[in-house]
Amino acid sequence: EEYNKRITRIKMELRIWRKRKLNDMLRTLIFIVNTFEDNNVIWGTGRGSSCASYVLYLIGLHQVDSVLYNIDIGEFFR
């Protein structure tokens, strides 16, 4: 059940990213995280509304599991 809950959340968030035409921004964030990791750059654990996005958690932008803490994605996309 937990697995299905997380998969459902990922699909729902990605639909919102696409609907708002933010796929390029998401790809840019993935590039930034990868660049940080490759260069041993340290960044914060999470801040503000970005912590409501489970997708951003999965790519490593922050360390707040919004599914675990039941944070509504609407906090990020308002």
Side-chain angles (χ1 to χ4, degrees):
E1 168 143 346
E2 183 66 23
Y3 174 80
N4 288 334
K5 179 179 177 182
R6 290 175 183 275
I7 294 298
T8 299
R9 175 69 179 251
I10 292 167
K11 289 178 179 179
M12 182 263 301
E13 281 194 30
L14 289 176
R15 277 194 302 271
I16 296 171
W17 283 89
R18 277 191 296 274
K19 180 180 177 184
R20 293 176 177 247
K21 300 181 187 301
L22 295 171
N23 287 342
D24 287 341
M25 185 174 92
L26 186 57
R27 282 192 274 288
T28 300
L29 291 170
I30 292 168
F31 173 78
I32 291 169
V33 168
N34 289 339
T35 301
F36 282 177
E37 289 175 347
D38 291 346
N39 293 286
N40 297 315
V41 174
I42 298 171
W43 64 97
T45 58
R47 179 169 139 64
S49 64
S50 70
C51 294
S53 174
Y54 186 58
V55 169
L56 295 181
Y57 166 75
L58 291 176
I59 67 170
L61 191 66
H62 60 73
Q63 297 175 0
V64 179
D65 183 341
S66 56
V67 173
L68 177 66
Y69 296 107
N70 198 29
I71 304 171
D72 184 354
I73 186 60
E75 295 295 319
F76 178 66
F77 284 114
R78 56 178 164 168

